Amino acid sequence: MKLSGKIACITGASAGIGKACAESFATAGCNLILLARRLDRVEELGEILKSKYGIKYFVGQLDVSNREDVERFFKNLPKDFNEIDILVNNAGLGKGLGPLYENKIDDWEVMIDTNVKGLLYVSRAVIPGMVERDRGHIINIGSIAGRGTYPGGSVYTATKHAVNAITNSLRKDLTNTEIRVSTVDPGLTETEFSIVRFDGDKERAKKMYEGFQPLFAEDVAETILFVAARPPHVTISDIVIYPTAQSDFHLVNRKK
Ligand code: NDP
Ligand code: 8X3
């Protein structure tokens, strides 16, 4: 499918997979709505992509877990950006990796509010326009954590199972439309994810990726672009992408 001139909205575009995804959609000529809480980062990214690829962009400082802000933001999009063709629901995070009975309850709230409720708020704001135009594509970023469980992952895996359930139900809701719904579910990808998960502890985060080659954010971004670029009659419902060294959460071929 020709993506040039389409409007792609990416949540969590200030880092990692979302940032790489912005670049891959820019290479395809998409105009971009780049959202994150760290506005300076998406502004800088937008400028770089505009000068590199000649695309147009619009940025927003948006916390996806703030329902009112999400509603207000999407209601007030400028005319050139208010017909979103592709929504990449990428904003998300893990917080902590301890047993459920020791976890900080506040961490649960943040994960549920961002990964589940945030994704829902953004989807609820964007999809009615897609239905009206009878076109569009929603690509949710799930995880291998949405397809299994692991110790320390009770709430994070629950949120990603929820993303999986939402994606599959939504596709059914949209059966009688031309709108496509997909999920891309990565395994270990080296981004800021583990730094956030371990509250800024960079040493501990680095250890997650030691002794093997994790996915690069760009590997996932290329996959997301591939999903979006299929011809209109093709929906890729889901793609799981692992680093070759990983075959399950804790099954990682570490060389040292
Ligand atoms: P990063 O930490 O590098 O990026 C996360 C992005 O989400 C940032 O841009 C951050 O922006 C944004 N974000 C977090 N909370 C909010 C919020 N409340 N409102 C708006 N934006 C928010 O991690 P990744 O790139 O790795 O993660 C992206 C997605 O991929 C997540 O959904 C994650 O669960 C998923 N994933 C990651 C894997 C991995 O191994 N890295 C594997 C499988 C899935 P800001 O802080 O500026 O708001
Ligand atoms: C993030 C990857 O394996 O740490 O979704 O859950 S994992």
Side-chain angles (χ1 to χ4, degrees):
M1 178 147 129
K2 196 175 150 286
L3 295 179
S4 177
K6 300 245 181 242
I7 295 169
C9 173
I10 302 164
T11 68
S14 60
I17 293 168
K19 183 177 177 191
C21 185
E23 176 129 20
S24 53
F25 278 92
T27 61
C30 288
N31 296 320
L32 301 171
I33 301 174
L34 303 172
L35 305 175
R37 293 166 302 180
R38 287 171 291 182
L39 182 63
D40 53 332
R41 285 206 185 191
V42 281
E43 273 173 342
E44 193 189 335
L45 177 64
E47 267 313 296
I48 290 170
L49 298 179
K50 180 181 162 187
S51 66
K52 249 171 120 174
Y53 304 104
I55 55 124
K56 291 193 280 186
Y57 74 93
F58 182 71
V59 294
Q61 181 169 38
L62 188 69
D63 178 343
V64 294
S65 69
N66 186 318
R67 178 176 160 180
E68 281 167 16
D69 284 358
V70 169
E71 285 170 0
R72 192 175 317 112
F73 178 81
F74 285 102
K75 255 191 205 126
N76 292 306
L77 279 173
K79 206 170 132 282
D80 283 359
F81 287 91
N82 69 2
E83 297 198 351
I84 294 170
D85 296 294
I86 302 156
L87 169 63
V88 183
N89 272 319
N90 163 77
L93 77 181
K95 284 295 248 173
L97 194 59
L100 181 144
Y101 54 88
E102 289 175 7
N103 282 162
K104 287 190 213 146
I105 294 178
D106 282 348
D107 286 347
W108 299 351
E109 308 280 11
V110 174
M111 286 186 274
I112 293 166
D113 287 352
T114 310
N115 302 358
V116 183
K117 291 166 79 177
L119 178 144
L120 287 169
Y121 297 152
V122 173
S123 302
R124 183 65 182 83
V126 171
I127 297 170
M130 290 183 171
V131 171
E132 223 171 271
R133 296 183 290 279
D134 198 18
R135 65 163 204 272
H137 196 164
I138 301 113
I139 305 176
N140 292 332
I141 308 308
S143 168
I144 56 168
R147 295 165 177 269
T149 55
Y150 55 87
S154 49
V155 176
Y156 181 71
T157 62
T159 66
K160 291 300 183 178
H161 277 75
V163 170
N164 203 14
I166 292 163
T167 306
N168 290 325
S169 297
L170 176 63
R171 189 179 313 104
K172 291 170 185 166
D173 289 342
L174 293 166
T175 304
N176 295 328
T177 74
E178 296 298 317
I179 299 164
R180 304 187 287 178
V181 185
S182 308
T183 165
V184 172
D185 292 354
L188 285 163
T189 310
E190 191 163 7
T191 61
E192 294 176 15
F193 181 88
S194 293
I195 299 172
V196 172
R197 179 171 241 178
F198 300 134
D199 282 333
D201 184 341
K202 290 191 178 159
E203 279 312 301
R204 192 172 171 203
K206 222 165 102 195
K207 284 202 168 60
M208 287 296 293
Y209 311 108
E210 249 168 33
F212 76 105
Q213 179 57 62
L215 293 171
F216 295 106
E218 289 73 16
D219 298 319
V220 182
E222 275 174 21
T223 308
I224 298 168
L225 182 65
F226 175 81
V227 168
R230 293 312 86 215
H233 69 286
V234 177
T235 292
I236 295 186
S237 63
D238 46 351
I239 288 195
V240 184
I241 165 171
Y242 279 102
T244 303
Q246 185 183 29
S247 54
D248 205 342
F249 302 97
H250 290 299
L251 275 178
V252 178
N253 182 19
R254 291 180 200 266
K255 301 288 188 200
K256 52 179 179 178

